[in-house]
Amino acid sequence: MVHEELVDVTADPLDDGAEVLTHAQHMKGMNDAIHTIDYSIPTTVYMVDFELPNGLKVTNHKWVVEEELERLY
């Protein structure tokens, strides 16, 4: 999840183990739920569209970090 999906937190990074409320809606069970932060990293995240090998198209998949992307050209 990304910092913007968290409720009533400051802009500062959260400590490992912090419990937070989220309004994330991109996965079932995340909206209005309490989550524990395992760890956080300062990075850029992306929403991506892609097609699986079986032809299934995925639109606006959240959240992909730069290290997970592979240059295609």
Side-chain angles (χ1 to χ4, degrees):
M1 74 183 59
V2 296
H3 201 89
E4 291 77 10
E5 295 174 316
L6 306 178
V7 178
D8 294 330
V9 296
T10 67
D12 298 325
L14 297 168
D15 292 332
D16 295 354
E19 290 189 343
V20 295
L21 175 65
T22 181
H23 284 321
Q25 297 181 4
H26 62 279
M27 293 181 71
K28 186 177 182 177
M30 292 184 74
N31 190 32
D32 292 327
I34 300 292
H35 300 276
T36 302
I37 302 297
D38 290 333
Y39 65 92
S40 60
I41 56 172
T43 189
T44 301
V45 294
Y46 302 89
M47 289 176 54
V48 297
D49 298 340
F50 61 94
E51 187 171 330
L52 295 170
N54 66 2
L56 178 67
K57 293 182 181 181
V58 179
T59 304
N60 293 330
H61 177 71
K62 300 175 186 176
W63 296 106
V64 178
V65 296
E66 196 156 346
E67 292 79 21
E68 295 174 311
L69 299 174
E70 179 179 323
R71 185 166 291 217
L72 298 177
Y73 55 92

Short mmCIF file of all heavy atoms in Angstrom, two decimals:
data_model
loop_
_atom_site.label_atom_id
_atom_site.label_comp_id
_atom_site.label_asym_id
_atom_site.label_seq_id
_atom_site.Cartn_x
_atom_site.Cartn_y
_atom_site.Cartn_z
N MET A 1 0.84 -1.16 0.00
CA MET A 1 0.00 0.00 0.00
C MET A 1 0.89 1.22 0.00
O MET A 1 2.08 1.14 0.25
CB MET A 1 -0.96 -0.04 1.18
CG MET A 1 -0.37 0.24 2.52
SD MET A 1 -1.56 0.09 3.87
CE MET A 1 -2.10 -1.56 3.71
N VAL A 2 0.32 2.36 -0.29
CA VAL A 2 1.07 3.61 -0.31
C VAL A 2 0.60 4.51 0.81
O VAL A 2 -0.51 4.36 1.34
CB VAL A 2 0.94 4.32 -1.67
CG1 VAL A 2 1.56 3.49 -2.78
CG2 VAL A 2 -0.50 4.65 -2.00
N HIS A 3 1.45 5.46 1.17
CA HIS A 3 1.20 6.35 2.29
C HIS A 3 -0.13 7.08 2.15
O HIS A 3 -0.82 7.32 3.15
CB HIS A 3 2.36 7.36 2.40
CG HIS A 3 2.51 7.98 3.73
ND1 HIS A 3 3.28 7.42 4.72
CD2 HIS A 3 1.98 9.10 4.26
CE1 HIS A 3 3.23 8.18 5.80
NE2 HIS A 3 2.45 9.21 5.54
N GLU A 4 -0.52 7.43 0.94
CA GLU A 4 -1.75 8.17 0.71
C GLU A 4 -3.01 7.37 1.03
O GLU A 4 -4.10 7.92 1.13
CB GLU A 4 -1.80 8.68 -0.73
CG GLU A 4 -0.80 9.77 -1.04
CD GLU A 4 0.63 9.27 -1.24
OE1 GLU A 4 0.86 8.05 -1.32
OE2 GLU A 4 1.52 10.12 -1.28
N GLU A 5 -2.89 6.06 1.17
CA GLU A 5 -4.04 5.22 1.51
C GLU A 5 -4.23 5.08 3.02
O GLU A 5 -5.21 4.48 3.46
CB GLU A 5 -3.87 3.82 0.90
CG GLU A 5 -3.89 3.83 -0.61
CD GLU A 5 -3.57 2.48 -1.20
OE1 GLU A 5 -2.62 1.81 -0.73
OE2 GLU A 5 -4.27 2.08 -2.14
N LEU A 6 -3.31 5.63 3.80
CA LEU A 6 -3.38 5.52 5.25
C LEU A 6 -4.19 6.67 5.83
O LEU A 6 -4.19 7.78 5.30
CB LEU A 6 -1.97 5.52 5.83
CG LEU A 6 -1.03 4.47 5.25
CD1 LEU A 6 0.35 4.60 5.87
CD2 LEU A 6 -1.58 3.07 5.41
N VAL A 7 -4.88 6.42 6.92
CA VAL A 7 -5.76 7.40 7.54
C VAL A 7 -5.08 8.02 8.76
O VAL A 7 -4.51 7.31 9.59
CB VAL A 7 -7.09 6.71 7.97
CG1 VAL A 7 -8.00 7.70 8.68
CG2 VAL A 7 -7.78 6.09 6.77
N ASP A 8 -5.16 9.34 8.85
CA ASP A 8 -4.68 10.09 10.02
C ASP A 8 -3.22 9.80 10.38
O ASP A 8 -2.89 9.50 11.53
CB ASP A 8 -5.56 9.83 11.24
CG ASP A 8 -6.97 10.37 11.05
OD1 ASP A 8 -7.13 11.36 10.33
OD2 ASP A 8 -7.91 9.78 11.63
N VAL A 9 -2.35 9.88 9.38
CA VAL A 9 -0.91 9.74 9.63
C VAL A 9 -0.22 11.01 9.13
O VAL A 9 -0.74 11.72 8.28
CB VAL A 9 -0.30 8.49 8.95
CG1 VAL A 9 -0.88 7.23 9.52
CG2 VAL A 9 -0.47 8.54 7.45
N THR A 10 0.96 11.28 9.68
CA THR A 10 1.74 12.42 9.21
C THR A 10 2.45 12.03 7.91
O THR A 10 2.41 10.88 7.48
CB THR A 10 2.79 12.83 10.26
OG1 THR A 10 3.76 11.79 10.37
CG2 THR A 10 2.14 13.11 11.61
N ALA A 11 3.13 12.98 7.30
CA ALA A 11 3.87 12.72 6.07
C ALA A 11 5.15 11.94 6.33
O ALA A 11 5.77 11.43 5.40
CB ALA A 11 4.19 14.04 5.36
N ASP A 12 5.54 11.83 7.59
CA ASP A 12 6.78 11.12 7.95
C ASP A 12 6.61 9.62 7.73
O ASP A 12 5.51 9.08 7.88
CB ASP A 12 7.14 11.38 9.40
CG ASP A 12 7.41 12.84 9.68
OD1 ASP A 12 7.97 13.51 8.79
OD2 ASP A 12 7.05 13.31 10.77
N PRO A 13 7.72 8.93 7.42
CA PRO A 13 7.66 7.46 7.33
C PRO A 13 7.22 6.87 8.66
O PRO A 13 7.52 7.40 9.73
CB PRO A 13 9.10 7.06 7.02
CG PRO A 13 9.73 8.28 6.45
CD PRO A 13 9.05 9.45 7.12
N LEU A 14 6.52 5.76 8.60
CA LEU A 14 6.04 5.09 9.80
C LEU A 14 7.08 4.09 10.29
O LEU A 14 7.82 3.50 9.51
CB LEU A 14 4.73 4.37 9.51
CG LEU A 14 3.58 5.29 9.12
CD1 LEU A 14 2.43 4.48 8.57
CD2 LEU A 14 3.14 6.11 10.30
N ASP A 15 7.10 3.88 11.58
CA ASP A 15 8.01 2.90 12.17
C ASP A 15 7.53 1.49 11.88
O ASP A 15 6.32 1.24 11.78
CB ASP A 15 8.08 3.08 13.69
CG ASP A 15 8.75 4.39 14.09
OD1 ASP A 15 9.59 4.90 13.32
OD2 ASP A 15 8.40 4.91 15.17
N ASP A 16 8.48 0.57 11.75
CA ASP A 16 8.13 -0.84 11.62
C ASP A 16 7.29 -1.25 12.83
O ASP A 16 7.58 -0.87 13.95
CB ASP A 16 9.39 -1.71 11.57
CG ASP A 16 10.23 -1.44 10.33
OD1 ASP A 16 9.80 -0.67 9.46
OD2 ASP A 16 11.32 -2.02 10.23
N GLY A 17 6.22 -1.99 12.58
CA GLY A 17 5.35 -2.45 13.65
C GLY A 17 4.20 -1.50 13.97
O GLY A 17 3.31 -1.86 14.74
N ALA A 18 4.19 -0.32 13.35
CA ALA A 18 3.09 0.62 13.59
C ALA A 18 1.78 0.04 13.06
O ALA A 18 1.76 -0.64 12.05
CB ALA A 18 3.38 1.96 12.91
N GLU A 19 0.70 0.28 13.78
CA GLU A 19 -0.62 -0.14 13.32
C GLU A 19 -1.34 1.06 12.74
O GLU A 19 -1.34 2.14 13.34
CB GLU A 19 -1.42 -0.75 14.47
CG GLU A 19 -0.86 -2.08 14.92
CD GLU A 19 -1.76 -2.80 15.91
OE1 GLU A 19 -2.65 -2.15 16.50
OE2 GLU A 19 -1.57 -4.00 16.08
N VAL A 20 -1.94 0.87 11.56
CA VAL A 20 -2.59 1.98 10.85
C VAL A 20 -3.92 1.53 10.27
O VAL A 20 -4.14 0.37 9.95
CB VAL A 20 -1.69 2.51 9.71
CG1 VAL A 20 -0.43 3.12 10.25
CG2 VAL A 20 -1.36 1.41 8.72
N LEU A 21 -4.80 2.51 10.13
CA LEU A 21 -6.08 2.31 9.45
C LEU A 21 -5.88 2.70 7.99
O LEU A 21 -5.18 3.67 7.70
CB LEU A 21 -7.15 3.19 10.09
CG LEU A 21 -8.53 3.20 9.43
CD1 LEU A 21 -9.20 1.82 9.53
CD2 LEU A 21 -9.41 4.28 10.04
N THR A 22 -6.50 1.98 7.08
CA THR A 22 -6.35 2.29 5.67
C THR A 22 -7.70 2.39 4.98
O THR A 22 -8.67 1.78 5.40
CB THR A 22 -5.48 1.24 4.95
OG1 THR A 22 -5.36 1.63 3.58
CG2 THR A 22 -6.08 -0.13 5.01
N HIS A 23 -7.72 3.18 3.94
CA HIS A 23 -8.88 3.27 3.05
C HIS A 23 -8.53 2.69 1.69
O HIS A 23 -9.14 3.03 0.68
CB HIS A 23 -9.35 4.72 2.90
CG HIS A 23 -10.12 5.23 4.08
ND1 HIS A 23 -11.02 4.47 4.78
CD2 HIS A 23 -10.10 6.43 4.69
CE1 HIS A 23 -11.52 5.19 5.77
NE2 HIS A 23 -10.97 6.37 5.74
N ALA A 24 -7.55 1.81 1.64
CA ALA A 24 -7.17 1.17 0.39
C ALA A 24 -8.32 0.32 -0.11
O ALA A 24 -8.93 -0.42 0.66
CB ALA A 24 -5.93 0.30 0.60
N GLN A 25 -8.61 0.42 -1.40
CA GLN A 25 -9.72 -0.33 -1.96
C GLN A 25 -9.31 -1.22 -3.12
O GLN A 25 -10.15 -1.83 -3.77
CB GLN A 25 -10.82 0.64 -2.42
CG GLN A 25 -11.41 1.41 -1.28
CD GLN A 25 -12.52 2.34 -1.71
OE1 GLN A 25 -12.92 2.37 -2.86
NE2 GLN A 25 -13.04 3.11 -0.77
N HIS A 26 -8.01 -1.31 -3.37
CA HIS A 26 -7.58 -2.09 -4.53
C HIS A 26 -7.47 -3.59 -4.26
O HIS A 26 -7.25 -4.36 -5.18
CB HIS A 26 -6.27 -1.54 -5.10
CG HIS A 26 -5.11 -1.61 -4.17
ND1 HIS A 26 -4.89 -0.67 -3.18
CD2 HIS A 26 -4.10 -2.48 -4.07
CE1 HIS A 26 -3.80 -0.97 -2.54
NE2 HIS A 26 -3.30 -2.07 -3.04
N MET A 27 -7.63 -4.00 -3.01
CA MET A 27 -7.65 -5.42 -2.68
C MET A 27 -8.72 -5.66 -1.63
O MET A 27 -8.90 -4.85 -0.72
CB MET A 27 -6.29 -5.88 -2.17
CG MET A 27 -5.21 -5.85 -3.22
SD MET A 27 -3.62 -6.42 -2.59
CE MET A 27 -3.93 -8.15 -2.40
N LYS A 28 -9.40 -6.78 -1.74
CA LYS A 28 -10.47 -7.11 -0.80
C LYS A 28 -9.91 -7.18 0.63
O LYS A 28 -8.84 -7.73 0.86
CB LYS A 28 -11.08 -8.46 -1.19
CG LYS A 28 -12.27 -8.84 -0.37
CD LYS A 28 -12.89 -10.14 -0.84
CE LYS A 28 -14.11 -10.47 -0.02
NZ LYS A 28 -14.78 -11.68 -0.48
N GLY A 29 -10.66 -6.61 1.56
CA GLY A 29 -10.28 -6.68 2.97
C GLY A 29 -9.37 -5.57 3.44
O GLY A 29 -9.04 -5.51 4.63
N MET A 30 -8.95 -4.67 2.55
CA MET A 30 -8.03 -3.61 2.96
C MET A 30 -8.74 -2.34 3.39
O MET A 30 -8.19 -1.55 4.15
CB MET A 30 -7.05 -3.30 1.84
CG MET A 30 -6.07 -4.44 1.57
SD MET A 30 -4.87 -4.04 0.34
CE MET A 30 -3.81 -2.94 1.24
N ASN A 31 -9.94 -2.09 2.90
CA ASN A 31 -10.64 -0.86 3.21
C ASN A 31 -11.17 -0.88 4.64
O ASN A 31 -11.75 -1.86 5.09
CB ASN A 31 -11.80 -0.65 2.23
CG ASN A 31 -12.41 0.73 2.35
OD1 ASN A 31 -11.71 1.70 2.66
ND2 ASN A 31 -13.69 0.83 2.11
N ASP A 32 -10.94 0.22 5.36
CA ASP A 32 -11.37 0.35 6.75
C ASP A 32 -10.87 -0.79 7.63
O ASP A 32 -11.59 -1.30 8.49
CB ASP A 32 -12.90 0.45 6.84
CG ASP A 32 -13.43 1.74 6.25
OD1 ASP A 32 -12.71 2.76 6.35
OD2 ASP A 32 -14.54 1.74 5.71
N ALA A 33 -9.63 -1.17 7.42
CA ALA A 33 -9.02 -2.25 8.20
C ALA A 33 -7.75 -1.73 8.87
O ALA A 33 -7.12 -0.80 8.39
CB ALA A 33 -8.69 -3.43 7.30
N ILE A 34 -7.39 -2.36 9.97
CA ILE A 34 -6.15 -2.04 10.68
C ILE A 34 -5.06 -2.96 10.13
O ILE A 34 -5.25 -4.18 10.03
CB ILE A 34 -6.30 -2.27 12.20
CG1 ILE A 34 -7.41 -1.39 12.77
CG2 ILE A 34 -4.96 -2.02 12.91
CD1 ILE A 34 -7.12 0.09 12.75
N HIS A 35 -3.93 -2.36 9.78
CA HIS A 35 -2.79 -3.11 9.24
C HIS A 35 -1.55 -2.80 10.06
O HIS A 35 -1.42 -1.72 10.61
CB HIS A 35 -2.54 -2.72 7.78
CG HIS A 35 -3.70 -2.98 6.90
ND1 HIS A 35 -3.95 -4.21 6.34
CD2 HIS A 35 -4.72 -2.17 6.47
CE1 HIS A 35 -5.05 -4.15 5.60
NE2 HIS A 35 -5.54 -2.93 5.67
N THR A 36 -0.64 -3.74 10.11
CA THR A 36 0.65 -3.55 10.77
C THR A 36 1.71 -3.33 9.71
O THR A 36 1.82 -4.13 8.76
CB THR A 36 1.01 -4.77 11.63
OG1 THR A 36 -0.03 -4.97 12.59
CG2 THR A 36 2.34 -4.56 12.34
N ILE A 37 2.49 -2.28 9.85
CA ILE A 37 3.57 -1.97 8.90
C ILE A 37 4.74 -2.92 9.18
O ILE A 37 5.31 -2.90 10.27
CB ILE A 37 4.02 -0.50 9.04
CG1 ILE A 37 2.85 0.46 8.83
CG2 ILE A 37 5.19 -0.20 8.12
CD1 ILE A 37 2.24 0.41 7.46
N ASP A 38 5.07 -3.75 8.21
CA ASP A 38 6.26 -4.61 8.33
C ASP A 38 7.52 -3.77 8.14
O ASP A 38 8.45 -3.84 8.92
CB ASP A 38 6.24 -5.73 7.29
CG ASP A 38 5.17 -6.76 7.58
OD1 ASP A 38 4.79 -6.94 8.75
OD2 ASP A 38 4.70 -7.40 6.63
N TYR A 39 7.53 -3.00 7.05
CA TYR A 39 8.64 -2.10 6.75
C TYR A 39 8.17 -1.11 5.70
O TYR A 39 7.15 -1.33 5.04
CB TYR A 39 9.88 -2.86 6.26
CG TYR A 39 9.67 -3.55 4.92
CD1 TYR A 39 9.99 -2.91 3.73
CD2 TYR A 39 9.15 -4.83 4.86
CE1 TYR A 39 9.78 -3.53 2.52
CE2 TYR A 39 8.95 -5.46 3.65
CZ TYR A 39 9.27 -4.81 2.48
OH TYR A 39 9.07 -5.43 1.27
N SER A 40 8.87 -0.03 5.56
CA SER A 40 8.54 0.94 4.53
C SER A 40 9.82 1.35 3.81
O SER A 40 10.92 1.26 4.37
CB SER A 40 7.85 2.17 5.14
OG SER A 40 8.69 2.78 6.08
N ILE A 41 9.65 1.77 2.57
CA ILE A 41 10.78 2.23 1.77
C ILE A 41 10.38 3.50 1.03
O ILE A 41 9.25 3.61 0.56
CB ILE A 41 11.26 1.17 0.76
CG1 ILE A 41 10.11 0.72 -0.16
CG2 ILE A 41 11.88 -0.03 1.47
CD1 ILE A 41 10.54 -0.18 -1.29
N PRO A 42 11.29 4.46 0.92
CA PRO A 42 11.01 5.65 0.11
C PRO A 42 11.28 5.31 -1.35
O PRO A 42 12.41 5.00 -1.73
CB PRO A 42 11.98 6.69 0.64
CG PRO A 42 13.13 5.90 1.17
CD PRO A 42 12.56 4.58 1.63
N THR A 43 10.26 5.31 -2.17
CA THR A 43 10.43 4.95 -3.58
C THR A 43 9.27 5.49 -4.39
O THR A 43 8.29 5.98 -3.83
CB THR A 43 10.53 3.41 -3.75
OG1 THR A 43 10.91 3.11 -5.09
CG2 THR A 43 9.22 2.73 -3.42
N THR A 44 9.38 5.39 -5.68
CA THR A 44 8.29 5.73 -6.58
C THR A 44 7.51 4.48 -6.88
O THR A 44 8.08 3.41 -7.06
CB THR A 44 8.85 6.31 -7.90
OG1 THR A 44 9.64 7.47 -7.58
CG2 THR A 44 7.75 6.69 -8.86
N VAL A 45 6.18 4.59 -6.89
CA VAL A 45 5.32 3.45 -7.22
C VAL A 45 4.53 3.76 -8.48
O VAL A 45 4.31 4.92 -8.81
CB VAL A 45 4.36 3.09 -6.06
CG1 VAL A 45 5.13 2.59 -4.86
CG2 VAL A 45 3.47 4.24 -5.70
N TYR A 46 4.12 2.71 -9.17
CA TYR A 46 3.43 2.86 -10.44
C TYR A 46 2.16 2.02 -10.46
O TYR A 46 2.08 1.00 -9.78
CB TYR A 46 4.32 2.39 -11.59
CG TYR A 46 5.64 3.12 -11.67
CD1 TYR A 46 6.75 2.66 -10.97
CD2 TYR A 46 5.76 4.27 -12.44
CE1 TYR A 46 7.95 3.33 -11.04
CE2 TYR A 46 6.96 4.95 -12.52
CZ TYR A 46 8.05 4.47 -11.81
OH TYR A 46 9.24 5.15 -11.87
N MET A 47 1.20 2.46 -11.27
CA MET A 47 0.04 1.65 -11.64
C MET A 47 0.34 1.19 -13.06
O MET A 47 0.71 2.00 -13.91
CB MET A 47 -1.24 2.48 -11.61
CG MET A 47 -1.68 2.84 -10.23
SD MET A 47 -3.14 3.91 -10.18
CE MET A 47 -4.31 3.04 -11.15
N VAL A 48 0.19 -0.09 -13.32
CA VAL A 48 0.56 -0.60 -14.64
C VAL A 48 -0.56 -1.43 -15.26
O VAL A 48 -1.38 -2.03 -14.56
CB VAL A 48 1.85 -1.46 -14.58
CG1 VAL A 48 3.03 -0.63 -14.13
CG2 VAL A 48 1.67 -2.65 -13.66
N ASP A 49 -0.58 -1.43 -16.59
CA ASP A 49 -1.45 -2.31 -17.37
C ASP A 49 -0.54 -3.35 -18.01
O ASP A 49 0.56 -3.03 -18.47
CB ASP A 49 -2.14 -1.53 -18.50
CG ASP A 49 -3.04 -0.42 -17.99
OD1 ASP A 49 -3.44 -0.46 -16.82
OD2 ASP A 49 -3.35 0.47 -18.79
N PHE A 50 -0.98 -4.61 -18.01
CA PHE A 50 -0.18 -5.65 -18.65
C PHE A 50 -1.08 -6.81 -19.06
O PHE A 50 -2.24 -6.89 -18.69
CB PHE A 50 0.95 -6.14 -17.73
CG PHE A 50 0.48 -6.74 -16.43
CD1 PHE A 50 0.30 -8.10 -16.30
CD2 PHE A 50 0.23 -5.94 -15.32
CE1 PHE A 50 -0.12 -8.67 -15.11
CE2 PHE A 50 -0.19 -6.48 -14.12
CZ PHE A 50 -0.36 -7.85 -14.02
N GLU A 51 -0.51 -7.70 -19.85
CA GLU A 51 -1.23 -8.89 -20.31
C GLU A 51 -0.49 -10.13 -19.85
O GLU A 51 0.73 -10.24 -20.02
CB GLU A 51 -1.36 -8.89 -21.83
CG GLU A 51 -2.24 -9.99 -22.36
CD GLU A 51 -2.52 -9.85 -23.85
OE1 GLU A 51 -2.56 -8.72 -24.34
OE2 GLU A 51 -2.70 -10.90 -24.49
N LEU A 52 -1.21 -11.05 -19.23
CA LEU A 52 -0.63 -12.31 -18.77
C LEU A 52 -0.41 -13.25 -19.95
O LEU A 52 -1.03 -13.09 -21.01
CB LEU A 52 -1.55 -12.96 -17.74
CG LEU A 52 -1.75 -12.18 -16.44
CD1 LEU A 52 -2.87 -12.78 -15.62
CD2 LEU A 52 -0.46 -12.15 -15.66
N PRO A 53 0.46 -14.25 -19.79
CA PRO A 53 0.70 -15.20 -20.88
C PRO A 53 -0.58 -15.89 -21.39
O PRO A 53 -0.65 -16.26 -22.56
CB PRO A 53 1.66 -16.22 -20.26
CG PRO A 53 2.36 -15.45 -19.19
CD PRO A 53 1.34 -14.49 -18.65
N ASN A 54 -1.60 -16.01 -20.54
CA ASN A 54 -2.85 -16.66 -20.96
C ASN A 54 -3.80 -15.70 -21.67
O ASN A 54 -4.93 -16.05 -22.00
CB ASN A 54 -3.56 -17.32 -19.78
CG ASN A 54 -4.05 -16.32 -18.75
OD1 ASN A 54 -3.91 -15.11 -18.91
ND2 ASN A 54 -4.63 -16.83 -17.67
N GLY A 55 -3.34 -14.43 -21.87
CA GLY A 55 -4.15 -13.46 -22.59
C GLY A 55 -5.00 -12.56 -21.71
O GLY A 55 -5.58 -11.60 -22.20
N LEU A 56 -5.07 -12.83 -20.42
CA LEU A 56 -5.85 -12.01 -19.51
C LEU A 56 -5.19 -10.64 -19.36
O LEU A 56 -4.00 -10.54 -19.10
CB LEU A 56 -5.96 -12.68 -18.13
CG LEU A 56 -6.71 -11.91 -17.06
CD1 LEU A 56 -8.20 -11.80 -17.43
CD2 LEU A 56 -6.56 -12.58 -15.72
N LYS A 57 -5.97 -9.58 -19.57
CA LYS A 57 -5.45 -8.23 -19.46
C LYS A 57 -5.73 -7.69 -18.06
O LYS A 57 -6.83 -7.80 -17.55
CB LYS A 57 -6.08 -7.33 -20.51
CG LYS A 57 -5.66 -7.71 -21.91
CD LYS A 57 -6.25 -6.79 -22.95
CE LYS A 57 -5.78 -7.27 -24.32
NZ LYS A 57 -6.30 -6.42 -25.38
N VAL A 58 -4.71 -7.09 -17.46
CA VAL A 58 -4.80 -6.50 -16.13
C VAL A 58 -4.63 -5.00 -16.30
O VAL A 58 -3.68 -4.54 -16.93
CB VAL A 58 -3.72 -7.07 -15.19
CG1 VAL A 58 -3.80 -6.42 -13.82
CG2 VAL A 58 -3.84 -8.58 -15.08
N THR A 59 -5.58 -4.23 -15.75
CA THR A 59 -5.56 -2.78 -15.89
C THR A 59 -5.41 -2.12 -14.53
O THR A 59 -6.05 -2.53 -13.57
CB THR A 59 -6.88 -2.30 -16.54
OG1 THR A 59 -7.05 -2.98 -17.79
CG2 THR A 59 -6.86 -0.80 -16.80
N ASN A 60 -4.54 -1.12 -14.48
CA ASN A 60 -4.31 -0.33 -13.26
C ASN A 60 -3.91 -1.19 -12.05
O ASN A 60 -4.41 -0.99 -10.95
CB ASN A 60 -5.54 0.51 -12.91
CG ASN A 60 -5.78 1.59 -13.94
OD1 ASN A 60 -4.86 2.08 -14.56
ND2 ASN A 60 -7.03 1.95 -14.11
N HIS A 61 -3.01 -2.13 -12.27
CA HIS A 61 -2.50 -2.95 -11.15
C HIS A 61 -1.71 -2.05 -10.22
O HIS A 61 -0.83 -1.31 -10.63
CB HIS A 61 -1.62 -4.07 -11.69
CG HIS A 61 -1.02 -4.90 -10.61
ND1 HIS A 61 -1.76 -5.77 -9.84
CD2 HIS A 61 0.25 -4.98 -10.15
CE1 HIS A 61 -0.98 -6.36 -8.96
NE2 HIS A 61 0.24 -5.90 -9.12
N LYS A 62 -2.03 -2.10 -8.92
CA LYS A 62 -1.36 -1.28 -7.92
C LYS A 62 -0.58 -2.19 -6.99
O LYS A 62 -1.06 -3.27 -6.67
CB LYS A 62 -2.37 -0.51 -7.09
CG LYS A 62 -3.25 0.43 -7.88
CD LYS A 62 -4.28 1.04 -6.96
CE LYS A 62 -5.26 1.88 -7.70
NZ LYS A 62 -6.31 2.41 -6.85
N TRP A 63 0.40 -1.88 -6.42
CA TRP A 63 1.39 -0.87 -6.67
C TRP A 63 2.65 -1.59 -7.06
O TRP A 63 3.04 -2.53 -6.39
CB TRP A 63 1.64 -0.02 -5.42
CG TRP A 63 0.43 0.76 -4.99
CD1 TRP A 63 -0.39 0.51 -3.93
CD2 TRP A 63 -0.11 1.92 -5.63
NE1 TRP A 63 -1.38 1.44 -3.85
CE2 TRP A 63 -1.23 2.32 -4.89
CE3 TRP A 63 0.24 2.65 -6.75
CZ2 TRP A 63 -1.99 3.43 -5.24
CZ3 TRP A 63 -0.52 3.75 -7.08
CH2 TRP A 63 -1.61 4.12 -6.33
N VAL A 64 3.31 -1.13 -8.08
CA VAL A 64 4.55 -1.74 -8.57
C VAL A 64 5.69 -0.77 -8.29
O VAL A 64 5.60 0.41 -8.62
CB VAL A 64 4.45 -2.03 -10.08
CG1 VAL A 64 5.75 -2.62 -10.60
CG2 VAL A 64 3.29 -2.96 -10.37
N VAL A 65 6.76 -1.26 -7.67
CA VAL A 65 7.92 -0.41 -7.41
C VAL A 65 8.92 -0.56 -8.55
O VAL A 65 8.90 -1.52 -9.31
CB VAL A 65 8.59 -0.74 -6.05
CG1 VAL A 65 7.65 -0.44 -4.90
CG2 VAL A 65 9.06 -2.17 -6.01
N GLU A 66 9.78 0.42 -8.68
CA GLU A 66 10.70 0.48 -9.81
C GLU A 66 11.54 -0.79 -9.96
O GLU A 66 11.79 -1.26 -11.06
CB GLU A 66 11.61 1.69 -9.67
CG GLU A 66 12.33 2.03 -10.95
CD GLU A 66 12.75 3.48 -11.00
OE1 GLU A 66 12.28 4.30 -10.20
OE2 GLU A 66 13.56 3.78 -11.88
N GLU A 67 11.94 -1.39 -8.85
CA GLU A 67 12.77 -2.59 -8.90
C GLU A 67 12.04 -3.79 -9.53
O GLU A 67 12.66 -4.76 -9.94
CB GLU A 67 13.25 -2.98 -7.49
CG GLU A 67 14.24 -2.01 -6.89
CD GLU A 67 13.59 -0.74 -6.33
OE1 GLU A 67 12.37 -0.75 -6.03
OE2 GLU A 67 14.29 0.27 -6.20
N GLU A 68 10.71 -3.72 -9.60
CA GLU A 68 9.93 -4.80 -10.17
C GLU A 68 9.72 -4.65 -11.69
O GLU A 68 9.20 -5.54 -12.33
CB GLU A 68 8.55 -4.89 -9.50
CG GLU A 68 8.64 -5.24 -8.04
CD GLU A 68 7.29 -5.18 -7.35
OE1 GLU A 68 6.57 -4.17 -7.51
OE2 GLU A 68 6.97 -6.15 -6.63
N LEU A 69 10.11 -3.50 -12.23
CA LEU A 69 9.92 -3.23 -13.64
C LEU A 69 11.12 -3.69 -14.45
O LEU A 69 12.26 -3.64 -13.97
CB LEU A 69 9.69 -1.74 -13.88
CG LEU A 69 8.46 -1.14 -13.20
CD1 LEU A 69 8.44 0.36 -13.40
CD2 LEU A 69 7.20 -1.78 -13.73
N GLU A 70 10.85 -4.12 -15.66
CA GLU A 70 11.93 -4.52 -16.57
C GLU A 70 11.78 -3.74 -17.85
O GLU A 70 10.70 -3.64 -18.43
CB GLU A 70 11.80 -6.02 -16.87
CG GLU A 70 12.86 -6.53 -17.82
CD GLU A 70 12.69 -8.01 -18.07
OE1 GLU A 70 12.32 -8.74 -17.14
OE2 GLU A 70 12.92 -8.43 -19.21
N ARG A 71 12.88 -3.16 -18.31
CA ARG A 71 12.87 -2.37 -19.54
C ARG A 71 12.65 -3.31 -20.72
O ARG A 71 13.27 -4.36 -20.83
CB ARG A 71 14.18 -1.64 -19.71
CG ARG A 71 14.19 -0.72 -20.91
CD ARG A 71 15.33 0.20 -20.83
NE ARG A 71 15.04 1.09 -19.72
CZ ARG A 71 15.35 2.38 -19.71
NH1 ARG A 71 15.96 2.89 -20.72
NH2 ARG A 71 15.04 3.13 -18.68
N LEU A 72 11.74 -2.94 -21.61
CA LEU A 72 11.40 -3.78 -22.76
C LEU A 72 12.10 -3.35 -24.04
O LEU A 72 11.97 -4.00 -25.05
CB LEU A 72 9.87 -3.76 -22.98
CG LEU A 72 9.05 -4.33 -21.83
CD1 LEU A 72 7.57 -4.20 -22.14
CD2 LEU A 72 9.42 -5.79 -21.59
N TYR A 73 12.86 -2.29 -24.00
CA TYR A 73 13.56 -1.85 -25.20
C TYR A 73 15.00 -1.58 -24.90
O TYR A 73 15.45 -1.58 -23.81
CB TYR A 73 12.90 -0.61 -25.82
CG TYR A 73 12.74 0.54 -24.86
CD1 TYR A 73 13.72 1.53 -24.76
CD2 TYR A 73 11.62 0.64 -24.04
CE1 TYR A 73 13.57 2.57 -23.89
CE2 TYR A 73 11.48 1.70 -23.17
CZ TYR A 73 12.46 2.65 -23.10
OH TYR A 73 12.32 3.70 -22.22
#
